[in-house]
């Protein structure tokens, strides 16, 4: 019988692998002691260190001990009473020596658990560890004897093992556990030694200690705060049609997190698994994954900066698709305008008020009986001509398409999908499964079936001949169903797919996993809905992207999808769903933008002024202010709600909307350049302060302000009747965007800023050059205007920036080199413009007309400012220096955008 001291020493002998030189003959492990747990004195584990062995209902001493777990009450709120004993008889142990593989090693593990949890446990599993790059480790735990569902995402695999990884891998043999260590700081960034590794057919579990409590990510949820609350929270992940109101699983499936370690290094972890799962967070700090299918396929990214982590994740899941320039304009939508007449009224009022406005939408009310590929010939009589008129004004029109196809003979979209059958089939694999959605009884296109591509493309293309839409908004693709399961079956057959033995913490009715969707045993071309459910929106996005490539071979378009999976950002964009017109949702939208930027969707925003419920003018006013700086800036409203477009309220509201949107349009060259960087290397567009000031822990919890890229800070008002904003200014030079005043007092502090109704606080960070352009009513017209620069100097009077420019819409302009990249750098009082790539010359002879230099305290008033071009040197006439603010303004310039120049003021 083991005593306490022996137990303490068990299973902690770690054998560190150096690279892969696996000298595995040297084994220091201690054999597992077979002492019966109930018979030995054990250390009672303090509440916060316990790992839950009985998450479902029905926990009792008996049911707990049946799992060979320990039952003991605790006062710690949220902590489990039934938990894994550190030396319990669980998990797996190595049953062979690791063997070397091309990128690492693999080893077989044998199951130790005596009691199975839900049955069908794999007695033998295999873990394969790959050192894929110096920053990326891949490990996969699978069943070597039985093939299982794996997410069909193509992931790059290098040819050779990483030469100098930032991480080291070690393990214990019995029970088997894995440790991933950041070499530079000796931090264990992943450590599964707390046990509980389970690999059953429908219950897979793995847990890890976390090196700190600064944890971000996982989705799609309404987390409310960016830094996750580790106080015993269980977040379910499984795509679901539901408004983002509470702590439940939403439209997307993103098992990715980032953690900032003590000392400021960041790492990230992606579990490539599409099955319904739980993410359990606890204050230890630690987290547990419990998924009900697939394999445990992990990617670990070692940064070391937050941006590096997101970029490394993007390398695995794919880079965000480049957006067309016009999509950066303001957009207007509502569900149920009632008639085309009403749309025209709203559209005209916007134009009359001179409010910048690039895109108008058609929500499902444009359709005839809510059927895709039709339009209401009565209420929307004249829609095709209206869309042409919209185009004539330099604007775009986007239509919505739902995933559901009405089951109706004679309806072309339905008939043409039957042979070959491109729909998701019933469990027998014979007839399409039928649910009920907007058009009533409907079938579900199987976007995993290659045969569906031609069908979908033909429908979209034929409909484009009727209404010349510019992009697609694809909705309801979780996929949603207004009834549970299917009409034919009266819900779903009783089997292990529809009634899995373990149910994660999902939003369900009567504990049914097929709540608001189709049966889990429905058949797709590539598998069961059980495994493919969360990939439905992803597959629909990919097919819609390919469709638009066929439709517009030369031009970029948009696929705006509600449901998404890891990597959907390669094809599509996302909005934050059917939010509500409540003040707190304005704050939460910042969190949502941060998270989706991590997930590879830099183009993101919430419905401005809220979707459900009636807004108030004040709420809508403040929401228009922050929304003017959502990358995806769309005011969209629910059916039956009071109008909330910018001209629906007072003249003051219209004026404010115009003014703030003109500032947005002025900043578009900077924003567009950020999208180029996002497309190239997955950097974020909307960025939390912590990504830029990671060495300052005060930034770790800031989610009421956000940055565009590294240099432009937005600090909105988020509450009613509030005229002061608290904003943190990390230690750097910051300037008021509007007049260049330096925020000297506020530097390094949490500052109180005046925020009267007409004012949105915007600041520019020293050290950056931001390209701008005179705004206009649409991007088509703003792109014709002169450019300018905001040069914001840092402590050393230096600055850097760039400008990406192309025609704004050619497909693959970056890949084809049909763009220009212009760099700006400042040092010693000299601004140097360099053309790095000159693959695109704008036909409109664009030039830089105005340059504002913020923080120019190195300028001596009266000194000539000299400009040097290929044509020679000359002093600038239009020089104004404000010695109160140290802003040096140069105007009346005509510096050709493609000709290098320098400007010297010292
Ligand atoms: C992993 O966690 C265990 C249990 O807390 C601890 O004893 C061990 O030192 C950790 N491993 C590393 C490499 O930090
Ligand atoms: C924008 O301005 C241009 C030029 O004045 C005009 O032709 C166009 O119709 C305007 N578009 C909108 C949407 O106001
Ligand atoms: C929907 O379809 C069902 C079955 O065909 C029918 O009974 C019902 O009346 C329909 N509902 C509507 C609103 O058309
Ligand atoms: C919104 O306002 C309209 C008009 O006053 C009213 O009919 C409707 O019931 C309101 N809706 C909600 C959800 O409050
Ligand atoms: C205003 C807003 O968008 N709030 C929330 C909407 O829902 C998403 C989740 O889809 C949240 O992340 C947002 O914060």
């Amino acid at each position: 019988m083991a005593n306490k001291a022996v137990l303490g020493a068990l299973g902690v002998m770690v054998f560190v692998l150096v690279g892969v030189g696996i000298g595995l003959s040297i084994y220091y492990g201690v054999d597992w002691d077979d002492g019966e747990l109930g018979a030995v004195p054990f250390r009672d584990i303090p509440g916060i260190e316990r790992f839950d062995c009985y998450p479902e209902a029905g926990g009792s001493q008996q049911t707990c001990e049946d799992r060979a777990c320990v039952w003991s009450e605790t006062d710690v709120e949220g902590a489990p009473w039934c938990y894994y004993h550190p030396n319990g008889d669980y998990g797996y142990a190595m049953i062979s020596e690791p063997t070397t593989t091309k990128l690492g090693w693999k080893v077989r593990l044998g199951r130790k658990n005596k009691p199975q949890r839900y049955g069908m446990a794999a007695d033998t599993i295999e873990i394969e560890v790959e050192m894929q790059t110096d920053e990326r480790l891949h490990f996969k735990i699978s069943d070597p004897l039985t093939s299982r569902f794996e997410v069909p995402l193509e992931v790059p695999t290098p040819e050779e093992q990483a030469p100098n990884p930032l991480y080291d891998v070690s393990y214990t043999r019995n029970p088997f556990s894995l440790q991933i260590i950041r070499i530079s700081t000796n931090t264990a960034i992943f450590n599964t030694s707390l046990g509980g590794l389970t690999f059953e057919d429908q219950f897979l579990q793995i847990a890890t200690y976390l090196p700190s409590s600064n944890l971000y990510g996982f989705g799609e949820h309404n987390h409310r705060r960016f830094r996750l609350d580790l106080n015993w929270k269980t977040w379910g992940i499984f795509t679901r049609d539901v408004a983002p109101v509470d702590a439940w699983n939403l439209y997307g499936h993103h098992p990715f997190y980032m953690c900032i370690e003590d000392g400021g290094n960041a790492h990230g972890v992606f579990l490539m698994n599409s099955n319904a799962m739980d993410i359990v967070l606890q204050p230890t700090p630690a987290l547990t994954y419990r998924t009900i299918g697939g394999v445990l396929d992990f990617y670990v990214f070692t940064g070391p900066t937050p941006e590096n982590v997101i970029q490394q994740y993007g390398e695995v899941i794919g880079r965000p698709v480049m957006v067309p320039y016009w999509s950066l304009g303001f957009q207007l939508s509502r569900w149920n305008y009632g008639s085309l007449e009403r749309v025209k009224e709203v559209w005209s009022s916007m134009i009359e008020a001179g409010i910048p406005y690039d895109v108008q939408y058609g929500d499902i009310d444009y359709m005839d009986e809510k059927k895709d590929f039709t339009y209401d010939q009565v209420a929307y009589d004249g829609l095709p001509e209206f869309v042409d008129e919209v185009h004539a004004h330099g604007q775009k029109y986007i239509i919505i398409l739902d995933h559901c196809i009405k089951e109706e003979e004679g309806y072309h979209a339905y008939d043409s999908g039957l042979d070959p059958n491109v729909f998701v089939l019933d469990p027998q694999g014979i007839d399409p499964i039928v649910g009920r959605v907007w058009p009533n009884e409907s079938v579900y296109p199987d976007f995993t079936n290659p045969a569906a591509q031609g069908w979908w493309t033909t429908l979209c293309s034929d409909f484009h001949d009727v209404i010349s839409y510019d992009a697609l908004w694809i909705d309801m693709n979780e996929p949603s169903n207004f009834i549970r399961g299917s009409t034919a079956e009266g819900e779903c057959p009783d089997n292990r797919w529809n009634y899995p033995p373990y149910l994660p913490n999902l939003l369900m009715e009567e504990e049914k996993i097929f709540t608001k969707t189709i049966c889990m045993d429905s058949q797709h071309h590539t598998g069961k809905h059980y495994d493919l459910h969360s990939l439905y929106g992803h597959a629909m996005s990919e097919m819609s992207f390919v469709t638009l490539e066929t439709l517009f071979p030369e031009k970029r378009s948009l696929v705006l999808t509600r449901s998404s999976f890891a990597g959907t950002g390669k094809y599509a964009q996302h909005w934050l769903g059917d939010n509500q017109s409540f003040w707190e949702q304005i704050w939460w939208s910042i969190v949502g933008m941060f998270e989706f930027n991590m997930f590879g969707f830099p183009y993101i925003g919430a419905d401005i002024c809220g979707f459900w419920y009636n807004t108030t003018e004040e709420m809508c006013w403040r929401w228009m202010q922050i929304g003017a700086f959502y990358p995806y800036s769309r005011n969209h409203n629910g059916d039956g709600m009071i109008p909330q477009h910018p001209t629906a309220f007072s003249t003051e509201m219209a004026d404010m909307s115009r003014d703030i949107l003109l500032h947005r349009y002025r900043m578009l060259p900077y924003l567009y350049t950020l999208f180029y960087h996002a497309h190239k290397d997955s950097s974020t567009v909307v960025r939390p302060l912590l990504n830029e000031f990671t060495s300052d822990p005060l930034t770790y919890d800031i989610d009421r302000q956000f940055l565009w890229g590294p240099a432009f800070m937005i600090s909105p008002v988020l509450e009613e009747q509030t005229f002061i904003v608290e904003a943190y200014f990390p230690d750097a030079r910051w300037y008021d965007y509007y007049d260049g005043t330096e925020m000297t007092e506020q530097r390094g502090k949490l500052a109180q800023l005046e925020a009267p109704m007409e004012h949105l606080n915007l600041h520019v960070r020293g050290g950056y050059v931001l390209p701008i352009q005179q705004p206009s009513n649409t991007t088509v017209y703003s792109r014709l205007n002169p450019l300018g620069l905001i040069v914001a100097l840092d402590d050393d009077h230096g600055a850097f920036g760039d400008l990406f420019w192309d025609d704004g819409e050619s497909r693959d302009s970056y890949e084809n080199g049909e763009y220009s990249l212009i760099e700006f750098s400042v040092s010693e009082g000299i601004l140097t413009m360099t053309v790095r790539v000159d693959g695109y010359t704008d036909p409109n002879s664009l030039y830089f007309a105005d340059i504002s230099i913020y923080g120019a305290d190195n300028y001596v008033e009266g000194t000539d400012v000299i400009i040097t071009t290929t044509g020679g040197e000359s002093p600038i006439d239009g020089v104004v220096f404000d010695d109160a603010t140290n802003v040096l303004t140069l105007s009346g310039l005509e510096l050709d955008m493609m000709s290098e120049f320098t400007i010297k003021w010292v």
Side-chain angles (χ1 to χ4, degrees):
M1 197 207 287
N3 63 33
K4 202 173 174 178
V6 173
L7 276 174
L10 283 178
V12 295
M13 301 306 290
V14 176
F15 178 75
V16 178
L17 282 176
V18 182
V20 270
I22 326 174
L24 281 160
S25 47
I26 325 162
Y27 165 50
Y28 304 102
V30 179
D31 275 344
W32 180 252
D33 186 297
D34 255 344
E36 282 165 18
L37 194 67
V40 295
F42 61 87
R43 195 163 51 98
D44 190 19
I45 305 291
I48 72 156
E49 288 174 21
R50 294 179 173 186
F51 289 86
D52 197 354
C53 184
Y54 214 101
E56 59 271 71
S60 68
Q61 178 146 9
Q62 187 58 52
T63 55
C64 177
E65 286 174 1
D66 288 348
R67 287 185 180 171
C69 290
V70 176
W71 180 267
S72 119
E73 299 183 10
T74 169
D75 292 340
V76 179
E77 208 177 317
W81 291 13
C82 176
Y83 60 94
Y84 289 96
H85 193 275
N87 302 317
D89 199 8
Y90 324 103
Y92 286 80
M94 278 169 50
I95 52 172
S96 69
E97 295 306 315
T99 53
T100 305
T101 60
K102 194 167 73 172
L103 300 179
W105 49 272
K106 63 182 179 184
V107 68
R108 291 262 166 112
L109 310 174
R111 188 167 68 87
K112 294 165 58 71
N113 308 36
K114 287 187 182 117
Q116 292 197 25
R117 185 82 164 248
Y118 302 105
M120 301 179 74
D123 289 333
T124 304
I125 57 176
E126 184 171 87
I127 175 164
E128 175 160 12
V129 175
E130 294 180 333
M131 286 85 165
Q132 291 195 338
T133 72
D134 286 346
E135 298 80 21
R136 179 170 92 227
L137 177 91
H138 173 231
F139 70 93
K140 181 158 103 177
I141 302 178
S142 57
D143 180 343
L145 306 174
T146 315
S147 93
R148 297 175 56 81
F149 176 79
E150 294 191 26
V151 176
L153 210 67
E154 269 177 46
V155 171
T157 311
E159 284 302 312
E160 288 180 17
Q161 191 179 317
N164 299 301
L166 301 184
Y167 49 84
D168 212 340
V169 185
S170 66
Y171 56 82
T172 61
R173 303 179 73 109
N174 188 352
F176 175 81
S177 73
L178 188 73
Q179 288 78 33
I180 300 164
I181 294 135
R182 179 187 299 285
I183 294 173
S184 64
T185 55
N186 204 28
T187 306
I189 57 184
F190 206 83
N191 180 358
T192 71
S193 51
L194 48 93
L197 175 62
T198 310
F199 202 107
E200 297 181 352
D201 187 39
Q202 289 181 284
F203 186 81
L204 296 89
Q205 172 174 271
I206 188 168
T208 177
Y209 289 108
L210 295 167
S212 93
S213 301
N214 301 312
L215 190 72
Y216 307 87
F218 293 120
E220 183 174 1
H221 306 119
N222 180 353
H223 290 128
R224 303 192 174 200
R225 297 301 310 272
F226 183 41
R227 180 158 68 177
L228 293 167
D229 176 0
L230 299 192
N231 197 25
W232 307 101
K233 294 276 185 257
T234 299
W235 293 96
I237 299 185
F238 198 49
T239 58
R240 161 80 203 235
D241 169 10
V242 65
V245 179
D246 224 324
W248 44 54
N249 51 306
L250 301 174
Y251 320 102
H253 189 114
H254 297 279
F256 171 70
Y257 72 82
M258 179 173 80
C259 179
I260 313 285
E261 301 149 35
D262 295 337
N265 288 314
H267 69 269
V269 176
F270 169 46
L271 169 59
M272 193 160 83
N273 178 293
S274 61
N275 289 92
M277 67 172 80
D278 277 336
I279 304 294
V280 186
L281 308 178
Q282 64 182 77
T284 321
L287 75 85
T288 306
Y289 297 90
R290 297 185 204 117
T291 178
I292 63 172
V295 298
L296 297 172
D297 195 356
F298 283 96
Y299 290 84
V300 178
F301 311 99
T302 52
T305 71
E307 284 294 307
N308 291 159
V309 168
I310 296 164
Q311 291 158 357
Q312 289 154 13
Y313 177 48
E315 198 174 337
V316 165
I317 60 169
R319 304 293 187 204
V321 56
M322 184 66 189
V323 293
Y325 200 93
W326 58 260
S327 72
L328 303 183
F330 179 68
Q331 319 192 12
L332 200 55
S333 179
R334 87 160 290 159
W335 174 18
N336 205 358
Y337 280 100
S339 67
L340 184 60
E341 283 321 299
R342 178 62 186 154
V343 179
K344 287 181 180 168
E345 256 171 56
V346 171
W347 176 72
S348 307
S349 76
M350 289 286 291
I351 291 174
E352 263 162 46
I355 299 174
Y357 168 32
D358 264 78
V359 183
Q360 176 61 46
Y361 282 73
D363 201 335
I364 53 173
D365 45 300
Y366 81 79
M367 296 177 185
D368 179 34
E369 298 177 335
K370 301 182 176 151
K371 290 191 290 194
D372 282 356
F373 311 112
T374 69
Y375 78 94
D376 183 335
Q377 311 257 350
V378 181
Y380 280 85
D381 181 31
L383 182 58
E385 295 75 18
F386 173 66
V387 173
D388 294 342
E389 206 178 332
V390 163
H391 287 156
H393 282 74
Q395 297 167 304
K396 306 289 178 190
Y397 192 78
I398 298 183
I399 56 162
I400 197 167
L401 283 181
D402 286 333
H403 68 302
C404 49
I405 297 295
K406 186 172 191 186
E407 185 197 32
E408 180 182 75
E409 273 176 43
Y411 169 39
H412 179 64
Y414 175 71
D415 293 340
S416 62
L418 290 174
D419 185 21
N421 197 319
V422 296
F423 300 116
V424 181
L425 302 178
D426 60 17
Q428 294 72 38
I430 299 166
D431 295 316
I433 189 155
V434 181
R436 187 167 296 153
V437 206
W438 292 119
N440 204 357
E441 303 207 335
S442 303
V443 293
Y444 290 68
D446 179 4
F447 294 102
T448 73
N449 184 347
Q453 181 72 70
W455 169 78
W456 187 246
T457 299
T458 304
L459 289 169
C460 290
S461 164
D462 290 351
F463 194 55
H464 188 262
D465 292 342
V466 179
I467 292 171
S468 48
Y469 59 82
D470 299 282
L472 291 174
W473 172 23
I474 57 175
D475 199 17
M476 308 293 286
N477 48 358
E478 289 71 33
S480 176
N481 185 2
F482 296 165
I483 56 165
R484 287 199 299 249
S486 87
T487 53
E489 307 284 343
E491 302 208 333
C492 304
D494 186 358
N495 57 36
R496 64 199 180 94
W497 312 114
N498 293 322
Y499 293 89
Y502 177 76
L503 280 174
N505 183 32
L506 306 173
L507 181 65
M508 291 175 288
E509 297 151 8
E510 299 171 16
E511 307 258 287
K512 289 178 176 163
I513 190 169
F514 49 83
T515 300
K516 204 95 201 256
T517 193
I518 55 178
C519 300
M520 293 296 130
D521 59 352
S522 319
Q523 296 290 337
H524 290 252
H525 182 74
T526 54
K528 279 200 166 38
H529 194 69
Y530 184 82
D531 297 314
L532 293 165
H533 174 83
S534 284
L535 287 160
Y536 194 93
H538 179 84
M540 185 177 183
S541 298
E542 182 175 0
M543 276 206 177
S544 302
F545 177 79
V546 172
T547 287
L548 291 174
E549 262 180 344
T550 312
L551 225 57
F552 311 121
E554 307 294 330
K555 288 180 183 176
R556 301 198 283 271
S557 178
L558 283 189
V559 177
L560 190 68
T561 183
R562 196 168 73 182
S563 185
S564 63
F565 186 78
T568 308
K570 262 188 298 196
Y571 312 113
Q573 289 77 21
H574 181 59
W575 84 107
L576 289 172
D578 301 336
N579 284 93
Q580 302 173 329
S581 304
F582 293 145
W583 282 90
E584 62 268 28
Q585 295 249 354
I586 308 182
W587 179 7
W588 301 341
S589 71
I590 300 177
V591 176
M593 290 196 292
F594 287 166
E595 292 179 342
F596 273 91
N597 269 264
M598 290 175 56
F599 301 155
F601 295 80
Y603 188 82
I604 187 79
D607 288 340
I608 296 169
C609 302
F611 180 75
W612 295 111
Y613 299 97
N614 289 322
T615 185
T616 61
E617 179 167 355
E618 185 188 346
M619 185 195 305
C620 194
W621 179 295
R622 291 302 198 184
W623 214 326
M624 280 298 299
Q625 289 180 333
I626 175 177
F629 293 90
Y630 288 164
Y632 175 45
S633 183
R634 179 182 73 161
N635 177 320
H636 175 52
N637 196 2
D639 187 17
M641 306 304 146
I642 58 163
Q644 63 182 33
H645 53 276
T647 51
F649 304 93
S650 57
T651 333
E652 290 77 14
M653 172 76 169
D655 290 347
M656 181 283 297
S657 300
R658 180 179 54 246
D659 291 350
I660 200 69
L661 286 170
L662 287 172
H663 282 295
R664 174 192 179 85
Y665 277 59
R666 184 170 181 252
M667 295 298 295
L668 289 185
Y670 175 66
L671 181 63
Y672 191 55
T673 302
L674 294 175
F675 273 98
Y676 147 75
H677 285 290
H679 176 60
K680 186 159 124 320
D681 65 11
S682 301
S683 3
T684 58
V685 170
V686 167
R687 201 169 286 184
L689 289 177
L690 72 88
N691 284 27
E692 288 295 318
F693 299 93
T694 320
S695 61
D696 176 359
L698 284 178
T699 60
Y700 294 0
D701 210 20
I702 290 182
D703 54 18
R704 295 171 59 91
Q705 336 161 215
F706 58 99
L707 297 168
W708 269 10
F712 187 63
M713 185 161 77
I714 298 104
S715 308
V717 169
L718 304 171
E719 277 92 22
E720 193 165 19
Q721 287 298 296
T722 300
F723 309 103
I724 299 275
V725 165
E726 203 166 68
Y728 183 57
F729 288 84
D731 187 18
R733 286 182 96 178
W734 292 95
Y735 305 92
D736 183 285
Y737 155 79
Y738 302 96
D739 66 9
T741 310
E742 185 170 355
M743 309 301 284
T744 320
E745 290 284 298
Q746 292 81 0
R747 180 171 180 157
K749 296 202 187 92
L750 197 57
Q752 311 280 322
L753 306 174
E754 301 281 333
M757 283 310 283
E758 65 283 359
H759 189 70
L760 173 66
N761 279 285
L762 299 172
H763 295 91
V764 181
R765 178 178 171 194
Y768 293 89
V769 180
L770 283 60
I772 57 177
Q773 190 166 30
Q774 287 169 27
S776 188
N777 60 5
T778 58
T779 54
V780 168
Y781 292 96
S782 71
R783 284 179 56 90
L784 306 176
N785 289 343
L787 296 156
L789 297 175
I790 298 175
V791 177
L793 301 180
D794 66 13
D795 288 321
D796 302 326
H797 299 108
F800 182 84
D802 57 4
L803 168 61
F804 172 87
W805 201 252
D806 62 2
D807 69 3
E809 60 180 4
S810 281
R811 253 182 211 284
D812 303 322
S813 65
Y814 165 64
E815 289 73 8
N816 298 333
E818 293 163 355
Y819 68 97
S820 293
L821 187 66
I822 295 163
E823 278 177 8
F824 310 95
S825 67
V826 180
S827 72
E828 316 278 332
I830 301 174
L831 163 68
T832 306
M833 183 276 227
T834 313
V835 178
R836 288 274 174 229
V837 180
D838 64 355
Y840 177 75
T841 301
D842 197 283
N844 303 301
S845 315
L846 294 186
Y847 57 89
F848 294 98
D850 302 282
I851 297 177
S852 303
I853 303 165
Y854 293 175
D857 48 26
N858 56 350
Y859 176 69
V860 178
E861 206 164 352
T863 316
D864 277 350
V865 176
I866 308 290
I867 188 156
T868 310
T869 62
T870 45
E873 269 188 27
S874 55
I876 296 175
D877 293 335
V879 176
V880 176
F881 184 66
D882 181 337
D883 58 4
T885 58
N886 289 321
V887 174
L888 177 64
T889 310
L890 316 175
S891 52
L893 309 173
E894 286 192 22
L895 294 164
D896 178 76
M897 137 177 230
M898 298 301 291
S899 310
E900 299 191 343
F901 62 81
T902 62
I903 293 180
K904 184 173 183 314
W905 63 89
V906 170

